[in-house]
Amino acid sequence: MAVVLRGTVVTFDGEHRILDPGAVYVGDDGRLAGVLAAGQEPPTGFSAAPRIDTGGLILPGLVDLHNHIAYNTLPLWEAVGVPYLHHDRWVGETDPPAYSTSVTWPAKVLGRAAPEALIKYAEVKALIGGTTSIQGPPRSTRPVDGWLLRIIDNEKLPAGTDMVMTAALQLDADVLREDRAPRLDGTRVLIYHVAEGRPGSIVHREFEELEPCLKPGLIGVHGTALTADDFRQWQDAVAGIDAAEKGTVVWSPFSNYWLYHDTTDVAEADRKGLRIALGSDWSPSGTKHVLGELKVADAVNHHDLGGRFSDRDLCDMVTANPGDALATAWGPQVGRLENGSAADLLVLERHDPTRDAYRNLIDATERHIALVLVRGRPFYGTPALMAAAGATDTDPITTAGRRRSVAVRRPGRTDAQLDWPGVVRALEKVRDDPVAAWRDSQAALTAWAGTLDDLDAPLVLLGDMPEGTPDAFADADAIPQGLAVPPLDALTHDAAYFAAVARSGVPQLQHLAGYYT
């Protein structure tokens, strides 16, 4: 339904206007019909729309431009082989806790035996951090019906057109040259993992193979092994095609430091003119959501980069910057509040009135998320704001000690029939006996008479990370006997998470706990 949100509007538009007080007019088409200062004439058609005084900051929903959703029920993976030289090293980890039994198999069993529950748990975890768009859905036997978030890889904007190409694993050089590069024609984007490892390592060759794709629309994830000269080459190639365009680097500092004890040289990337966006990666080596990643970026900026980025610059990395990076392929703009933009909104408590809006966003924790709308629909927030925004089929949930409501079940959507208690029950049932759950799901697949790409086929989720084990359709006896699926990762940054961070001893990550005290 159409609705009007009132509060302090932090637009992230081209002028970075802050309207205090202001109003955001959400149309029933999932777009913004107006972003206005208080007292301005409202757009037509809103005379009967509910007016909601949020009492907080109204911002674009946060955009997580790098994730691997299928693994986000798992806790931090405390591998003993760190720091790794590059991404090919940790897949072969053999010392406990081994990658296969700690990461691959638990995610595989949950994705096979409880796919809807796995998806919904990961989506709620992101919503709790104010995320409205996220990259990195699992591969699946058929399209998922009933996503809560805007899924960057799958989103078809304008309707019916798929303009986003992705690859978490490296493609052959000839595929990059002959297929992906020609399709980077100014209408599409390519989100591509490149040179994930320590400087000087062999993975730098991935950037060399990517050279034909150094065009507008390339979004490079990690790039931790890239040098200042590489960033110069990248941006010069993009600007040589279109002087107004920028390349985009997706920075995941927590995961970089957790696995490699090093991170992307974002200061050099910025100096060379590239755009920086943030991604929380995945729960085995990342933060809970991109709001947590923003704090890691802030700490690195303060302690290691000499404050190169302003608070506004950092906040742009989870709003305007990823939105601009996707604008080549998408019609409605995400990450900025402007007329015609997508109605993906975050309402945040102004928890520190002595600081500006940007500092309030950086310092905000899960306790301060008051309302999250995706496509104009309320999915998470305080009970009062959710009710006022017209939410239905909600369940109570406690987040960091605060009462909240979440809308997980979506009538009419085949993959969104579980309510929140049902999501947790389904995952815990698999955890109780993962071997039996694997065998039961294998029997269901065997009994299926159609093909797995049929729209009514059994839904099975497939990981998009290195497997380290036989393929996802291995027979029922392939599962390791005695496999234990870890307890569900907490939805918030909690004491167990910070204890694991402390055990890691990585200096750059020890500042994160201070944001949550």
Side-chain angles (χ1 to χ4, degrees):
M1 67 179 186
V3 67
V4 183
L5 300 181
R6 293 170 167 168
T8 300
V9 181
V10 189
T11 65
F12 288 90
D13 65 7
E15 300 175 359
H16 278 81
R17 294 178 303 151
I18 296 180
L19 310 177
D20 186 13
V24 176
Y25 294 82
V26 179
D28 57 11
D29 61 352
R31 304 282 191 90
L32 299 185
V35 181
L36 304 172
Q40 288 187 279
E41 188 70 21
T44 58
F46 282 83
S47 58
R51 265 74 171 160
I52 302 174
D53 290 315
T54 67
L57 302 172
I58 305 171
L59 310 100
L62 307 187
V63 181
D64 188 340
L65 205 47
H66 168 218
N67 210 295
H68 304 276
I69 297 170
Y71 303 86
N72 285 349
T73 65
L74 305 178
L76 282 170
W77 175 45
E78 297 184 68
V80 298
V82 293
Y84 294 110
L85 189 59
H86 52 73
H87 60 77
D88 286 339
R89 291 293 180 89
W90 43 268
V91 177
E93 175 67 52
T94 57
D95 297 318
Y99 177 78
S100 176
T101 53
S102 296
V103 178
T104 300
W105 269 110
K108 187 181 292 188
V109 174
L110 291 170
R112 173 82 69 87
E116 180 190 339
L118 173 55
I119 287 171
K120 294 297 169 271
Y121 193 89
E123 288 187 287
V124 169
K125 195 177 185 184
L127 282 167
I128 282 173
T131 306
T132 54
S133 294
I134 194 167
Q135 188 275 330
R139 295 174 296 138
S140 57
T141 52
R142 59 168 173 77
V144 174
D145 174 44
W147 289 103
L148 309 181
L149 300 178
R150 194 181 295 276
I151 305 300
I152 291 168
D153 311 51
N154 303 340
E155 192 78 24
K156 293 177 173 58
L157 295 171
T161 306
D162 187 359
M163 308 303 281
V164 178
M165 302 178 288
T166 62
L169 303 179
Q170 276 58 55
L171 300 174
D172 290 340
D174 57 347
V175 173
L176 291 169
R177 181 179 60 255
E178 297 169 13
D179 180 80
R180 299 305 193 269
R183 290 201 276 167
L184 284 172
D185 57 2
T187 65
R188 293 177 174 86
V189 300
L190 170 62
I191 304 173
Y192 191 75
H193 283 53
V194 59
E196 179 189 350
R198 294 177 65 84
S201 63
I202 194 172
V203 294
H204 184 272
R205 69 170 184 249
E206 296 168 5
F207 181 72
E208 298 164 12
E209 294 172 349
L210 192 61
E211 189 274 334
C213 295
L214 299 182
K215 296 181 174 184
L218 176 63
I219 300 171
V221 177
H222 289 304
T224 47
L226 299 187
T227 66
D229 286 343
D230 297 327
F231 291 126
R232 179 186 295 107
Q233 177 189 353
W234 183 351
Q235 181 55 30
D236 285 351
V238 170
I241 297 171
D242 185 339
E245 284 289 340
K246 294 183 176 183
T248 301
V249 178
V250 185
W251 185 29
S252 298
F254 187 100
S255 186
N256 297 161
Y257 281 117
W258 187 261
L259 294 172
Y260 310 111
H261 294 186
D262 207 342
T263 193
T264 313
D265 192 347
V266 289
E268 281 299 333
D270 180 59
R271 289 187 188 100
K272 300 306 182 287
L274 282 91
R275 176 190 296 119
I276 313 297
L278 288 180
S280 60
D281 205 339
W282 61 338
S283 65
S285 67
T287 47
K288 306 283 184 176
H289 40 64
V290 78
L291 183 62
E293 201 71 20
L294 180 59
K295 293 161 183 50
V296 182
D298 179 63
V300 172
N301 181 55
H302 178 73
H303 294 281
D304 297 285
L305 302 182
R308 175 171 183 82
F309 301 102
S310 68
D311 288 351
R312 193 180 88 176
D313 291 336
L314 292 169
C315 293
D316 280 348
M317 294 180 188
V318 293
T319 53
N321 286 2
D324 289 350
L326 294 167
T328 298
W330 282 7
Q333 172 78 356
V334 298
R336 297 182 187 270
L337 302 186
E338 299 173 320
N339 287 1
S341 295
D344 297 351
L345 299 168
L346 163 62
V347 177
L348 187 71
E349 290 181 16
R350 189 158 196 163
H351 51 95
D352 186 350
T354 68
R355 310 294 294 275
D356 69 13
Y358 303 114
R359 195 69 229 174
N360 268 260
L361 176 57
I362 292 170
D363 289 340
T365 69
E366 298 92 350
R367 292 169 55 85
H368 305 120
I369 305 298
L371 183 66
V372 182
L373 277 68
V374 184
R375 301 182 185 88
R377 295 172 57 95
F379 282 102
Y380 175 80
T382 67
L385 288 178
M386 286 285 282
T392 58
D393 282 297
T394 63
D395 300 304
I397 186 172
T398 300
T399 304
R402 300 284 185 94
R403 291 178 57 247
R404 295 292 187 261
S405 295
V406 64
V408 175
R409 184 177 180 275
R410 299 183 65 186
R413 307 304 293 268
T414 59
D415 300 323
Q417 289 300 299
L418 293 174
D419 59 11
W420 178 244
V423 166
V424 176
R425 283 196 302 269
L427 294 171
E428 292 293 356
K429 181 179 178 181
V430 176
R431 287 193 61 248
D432 287 343
D433 193 341
V435 174
W438 173 264
R439 289 175 173 165
D440 289 347
S441 62
Q442 178 67 25
L445 281 175
T446 302
W448 171 248
T451 61
L452 286 175
D453 57 358
D454 290 347
L455 293 180
D456 56 348
L459 178 63
V460 174
L461 306 181
L462 310 174
D464 64 342
M465 294 292 281
E467 289 288 283
T469 63
D471 74 37
F473 292 106
D475 64 40
D477 293 327
I479 185 171
Q481 298 303 303
L483 177 73
V485 174
L488 299 178
D489 191 40
L491 297 171
T492 60
H493 295 84
D494 62 356
Y497 180 87
F498 291 122
V501 173
R503 287 192 296 271
S504 77
V506 179
Q508 294 86 352
L509 302 182
Q510 304 310 313
H511 307 291
L512 180 58
Y515 292 84
Y516 291 85
T517 56

